Amino acid sequence: MPAPATARKTAIHADLLDFTGDPGLDALHSPAVRWRPDHWLLIDEQGRILAVQPQAPGDDFEQHEHRGRLLMPGFIDTHVHCPQIDVIGSWGTQLLDWLETYTFPAEAAHADPVVAAAASALFLDALLAHGSTAAVVFPTVHRGSVEALFTAAQARGMRVISGKVLMDRHAPAALRDDVAGAERDCRALIARWHGQGRLAYAVTPRFAATSSPEQLAMAGRLLAEHPGLYLQTHVAENPAEVAWVAQLFPEARSYLDVYARHGLLTERAVFAHGIWLDDTDRSHLHDAGAQIAFCPSSNLFLGSGLFGWRAAREAGVAVSLASDVGGGTSLSMLRTMAEGYKVQALAGTRLTAWALLHAATRGAAQALRLGHEIGTLEAGLMADLCLWDWAVGPVATRRHALARELHEQVFAWVTLGDERNLLECWVGGQRRHARHSP
């Protein structure tokens, strides 16, 4: 379904920032950074970027004046759980206990279609209010939760990748499926939603421990039969989880190898976390063209470990950024970036603002094979955009005023900013969120 036509052509005047390539991890001055201050971004009636120019357009454009504000592509959150909004900020356990104590009870409520519909609407509106215009999303095991999420995403014109969670063992009875029933549900959902408008289906085993070998094999068959499908799951997040998977699949060389053996290691695979991988795993990820969704806030909150971004990069593995709410503590990708900087500093790498922003815009789009649609401010791409204030509050305002050059200015915004800095969020040329003045 095409994006809804805008009432007329639109023009936004602001300072434009995006990327034309990969800026690397630590280069302060990269030719891949595209900075166009005091420019106009033009949007056509179909919600696509028409052009960027320094001069104001004609009267046939509806003009929005935001001189001195920052305009960027909308953020892409590559791993987040819709139902876990209800357990964000829950105290005190590591991954496996956290699932049992908080996550599974919250997800069980989504068997009710009314709950699933309300939660999906709240979740997507919250993403937009935090500056994320696209996401790779875990719903629940219930077919209705996928229907609700896709319905809400379609109403907002959002690029959402999702699919029914697969769990046929080691989960509460209310959240377990079976291979035959799960396959029927997946096939029906693929036929109904995959490729409809800006929606795409992701085969979604929760993680290796909660799917039997038979269910993982079924997931592999779906991917083989439908080459455009995505795969989303978790890998090597927590040492106890890694040890458990090794016990369940003793024939596999590693946790990642469990997925590879079942045909789940593909170029459209999004593996969340990937903390406890080795060089062989990273080589296989590179060869397959798969990506790792780095979830720093969640990794710190659950005490899972420090992801090795430099090692992944040296192996040629694409890395994107993800909030992983509710293990993560905010849907804000700015807060996620600030946590990512700290994690990598502990691991011995000082990331630039460019590396962080690229991983949540152009880098994520490229890894998802969506660079033709989102991630930059190129003509022809969808006008998924966010307008930001550089600073909110006296401390950030003072810091912004004292910044000596562009990277210093942007890095201060990344590390001091959050959703309070967001003025407007546009999806397909439609303004979907606007901050209310106090």
Side-chain angles (χ1 to χ4, degrees), residues 83 96 126 131 137 168 207 224 277-278 283 289 303 331 347 353 363 369 400 420 429:
L96 298 180
V137 184
D168 67 344
F207 66 124
L277 299 175
D278 60 20
S283 176
L331 288 172
R369 282 25 184 201
H400 174 71
R420 291 169 294 183

Side-chain angles (χ1 to χ4, degrees), residues 15 35 53 84 93 104 145 151 153 165 189 202 242 283 304 310 338 392 396 398 402 422 427:
D15 295 337
W35 172 239
Q53 61 188 44
Q84 291 186 25
T93 60
F104 289 157
S145 75
T151 298
V165 175
L189 289 164
V242 174
S283 176
S304 300
R310 187 171 294 279
V392 173
R398 175 66 173 171
L402 294 175
L422 182 65
V427 179

